[in-house]
């Protein structure tokens, strides 16, 4: 039995609230050529994606791990540097921290 005045979390509800707070489980961005690309939001990645990204040794390898081969080709063809994906990931993380801080703690 739960203690009085103690919050009990339901994991499925927490996940849904987090998805809503950060704008969904995918990050969408537009290249300078107008292509719209996506990758998993860092809060909602799976172990395989994490292992690929964490195991990447170069900026190019990391960009490919994040975007996948097909999207990487579009990203690269638009003239974006491999390291620029790190700037995007930083922006996503900063936005995520700001959104989570504004999330209501109780429903």
């Amino acid at each position: 039995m739960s203690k009085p005045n103690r919050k009990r979390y339901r994991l499925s509800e927490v996940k849904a609230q987090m998805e809503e707070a950060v704008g969904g489980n995918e990050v969408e961005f537009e290249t300078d050529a107008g292509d719209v690309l996506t990758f998993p939001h860092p809060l909602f990645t799976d172990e395989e994606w994490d292992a690929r990204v964490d195991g990447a040794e170069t900026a190019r390898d990391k960009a490919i791990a994040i975007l996948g081969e097909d999207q990487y080709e579009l990203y690269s063809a638009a003239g974006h540097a491999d390291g620029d994906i790190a700037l995007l990931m930083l922006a996503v993380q900063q936005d995520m921290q700001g959104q989570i801080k504004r999330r209501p703690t109780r429903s």
Side-chain angles (χ1 to χ4, degrees):
M1 178 181 263
S2 176
K3 294 181 180 179
N5 299 322
R6 188 168 187 179
K7 173 78 173 167
R8 176 178 288 171
Y9 295 93
R10 181 165 296 201
L11 191 53
S12 60
E13 290 175 5
V14 170
K15 184 177 179 181
Q17 288 175 354
M18 288 295 154
E19 282 183 11
E20 184 177 333
V22 300
N25 62 4
E26 283 191 332
V27 173
E28 186 177 280
F29 69 101
E30 186 174 337
T31 68
D32 290 345
D35 297 307
V36 177
L37 308 179
T38 63
F39 59 88
H41 192 285
L43 279 178
F44 306 108
T45 59
D46 60 28
E47 288 183 32
E48 183 181 320
W49 190 89
D50 292 341
R52 268 195 327 269
V53 172
D54 292 344
E57 294 185 15
T58 66
R60 181 180 189 278
D61 292 343
K62 191 164 290 275
I64 291 171
I66 290 168
L67 298 174
E69 290 279 347
D70 293 340
Q71 290 193 122
Y72 173 78
E73 293 302 324
L74 295 170
Y75 174 83
S76 181
H80 298 289
D82 293 333
D84 288 348
I85 199 75
L87 297 173
L88 179 59
M89 292 295 285
L90 181 60
V92 168
Q93 289 173 344
Q94 289 177 340
D95 187 48
M96 172 179 60
Q97 289 171 349
Q99 294 299 326
I100 290 173
K101 285 179 185 176
R102 290 190 289 271
R103 177 187 161 268
T105 56
R106 292 184 182 247
S107 45

